[in-house]
Amino acid sequence: MSDLKDPVEKTISLYRSLAVFFIWAAIGFAATPATAASALWVADENLQIDEYLPSQLHNNKHPKALTIPLGTVPFGVCFDAAKNLWVTTIDQNVLEFATKDLKKLPHPPSPVATITSSSFKLINGCTFDPQGNLWLADAVNNSIDEISAQQLKAGTGTITPAVVITDSADSSLLEPSFVTFDKEGSLWADSRGSQLLSKYTASQLTSGGDKPAAVILQGGGSLSADPGQIAFDSQGNLWVAQFNANLADMFPKSILGASNNDTPSVVVIIQDFSEGAWGLAFKGSNLWVLNGFNGDIDEFVPKQLKTGGSLSPKAILSGAAKESSWQITFGPAFGK
């Protein structure tokens, strides 16, 4: 069982192939590294969503975020193709914030839709597929769930997820917390319970049920420090944070096509973390990692990521979020 300091355990205690590529390229998608003009968005346990504008991201002090107060703890934060913001919360709601309202920041917007389901138990990280469907990791149901584009379009309401996928045979979805897509349209998830990473191909995502993952990465024991957020770099390599360590690990694209027990090719040891590497996202080719213990967010540049080792961050956003904050992502810059 994970340390109660980590985000999921703390939360539970609180709450007891080519065509697809061109579609993704045309609309923009979660696996595409964010551009230099992107803002950093944080699901902040301080009952809010934080936005750090591009001009604030190289400040080694604590820049003042633009905030969206929620009155509840957020877990997932992601954008659809129309630049609407979607947030998952501790009370098992999915909130939508419209682009037109986000443009009014720092005046805080209100959600334009609230979606929930009686089947949700602990929905966490979120991401969108190229068809506009929203995918969620449910850490208690041991599942990845899809809310369809049609269900999202209907707005506020209680729904039954359009697709629910589990994997009881391999336990590849035991306590999943984060999901992301690769450039081929396959969905990847972490498994905190079984300490591995799994891939579901686009064809597997068209229907629900109990099914084995197409690819399982065991990591040769490297994932035993509690895998956190996952993300792809611009070369298609898969990165994962390690909460119970000061690590970010890279699994090269060359090994992602078949199940294996290979260890990471690059291991970044974050000098100013004792433990707590949790949220993880790319801005261009630069890697950003959230410290779940103190809320710092560190930046690493491509030259550092080639070889790994014990690294001093290029920049640190000191105290950018409350401890035990959750997902980070790069997205549209709103406000001033």
Side-chain angles (χ1 to χ4, degrees):
M1 174 115 12
S2 302
D3 192 311
L4 286 177
K5 291 181 180 179
D6 77 63
V8 161
E9 293 300 330
K10 183 171 181 180
T11 300
I12 293 174
S13 70
L14 287 171
Y15 194 90
R16 282 266 21 148
S17 288
L18 192 57
V20 173
F21 172 79
F22 283 117
I23 292 172
W24 283 88
I27 68 170
F29 62 103
T32 300
T35 66
S38 299
L40 174 63
W41 294 82
V42 185
D44 190 329
E45 183 155 301
N46 198 30
L47 311 184
Q48 63 192 37
I49 299 298
D50 300 332
E51 178 194 11
Y52 289 97
L53 295 170
S55 60
Q56 298 176 295
L57 295 181
H58 300 288
N59 185 342
N60 283 327
K61 298 181 180 179
H62 181 182
K64 182 176 176 57
L66 299 177
T67 62
I68 303 175
L70 299 177
T72 187
V73 176
F75 290 149
V77 55
C78 53
F79 286 89
D80 64 21
K83 300 183 181 180
N84 301 306
L85 171 66
W86 296 82
V87 178
T88 63
T89 71
I90 190 175
D91 40 10
Q92 311 314 306
N93 288 327
V94 180
L95 308 178
E96 178 191 10
F97 294 88
T99 300
K100 64 180 179 62
D101 296 327
L102 294 170
K103 290 179 178 178
K104 299 175 184 177
L105 284 167
H107 179 74
S110 298
V112 296
T114 300
I115 300 171
T116 193
S117 175
S118 60
S119 71
F120 293 158
K121 294 295 185 288
L122 190 60
I123 53 173
N124 292 318
C126 62
T127 192
F128 278 88
D129 70 17
Q131 290 77 36
N133 306 309
L134 176 63
W135 289 87
L136 312 170
D138 191 320
V140 170
N141 279 333
N142 300 323
S143 67
I144 48 177
D145 302 355
E146 177 204 88
I147 305 178
S148 71
Q150 292 76 17
Q151 290 173 316
L152 297 175
K153 187 176 180 180
T156 295
T158 301
I159 58 100
T160 298
V163 173
V164 176
I165 296 174
T166 58
D167 180 9
S168 61
D170 297 320
S171 298
S172 66
L173 293 174
L174 186 58
E175 282 189 66
S177 294
F178 295 100
V179 284
T180 193
F181 279 93
D182 63 22
K183 291 182 179 180
E184 286 70 46
S186 297
L187 180 64
W188 289 80
D190 69 336
S191 171
R192 303 185 69 200
S194 50
Q195 300 173 344
L196 51 80
L197 306 175
S198 59
K199 167 187 170 181
Y200 286 85
T201 63
S203 61
Q204 289 180 294
L205 302 178
T206 59
S207 63
D210 192 350
K211 61 182 73 176
V215 171
I216 295 176
L217 305 182
Q218 295 174 292
S222 65
L223 299 172
S224 61
D226 194 359
Q229 191 168 351
I230 54 178
F232 286 91
D233 65 22
S234 58
Q235 286 76 47
N237 305 308
L238 179 60
W239 289 78
V240 57
Q242 298 279 353
F243 182 78
N244 289 327
N246 56 337
L247 304 177
D249 296 337
M250 186 271 275
F251 293 89
K253 181 180 180 180
S254 60
I255 71 165
L256 302 183
S259 297
N260 60 72
N261 194 31
D262 295 352
T263 57
S265 292
V266 175
V267 177
V268 172
I269 303 169
I270 306 173
Q271 288 182 3
D272 66 324
F273 286 22
S274 57
E275 289 183 345
W278 187 241
L280 179 150
F282 278 91
K283 182 175 188 278
S285 297
N286 293 6
L287 174 66
W288 292 76
V289 184
L290 167 68
N291 187 330
F293 280 148
N294 65 14
D296 289 355
I297 303 178
D298 290 6
E299 177 192 27
F300 299 91
V301 297
K303 182 178 179 179
Q304 295 176 301
L305 302 180
K306 289 181 179 179
T307 57
S310 181
L311 302 178
S312 177
K314 177 71 173 180
I316 301 173
L317 302 184
S318 178
K322 186 179 178 182
E323 65 180 59
S324 295
S325 293
W326 201 259
Q327 185 172 8
I328 64 174
T329 193
F330 284 92
F334 294 111
K336 299 179 179 179

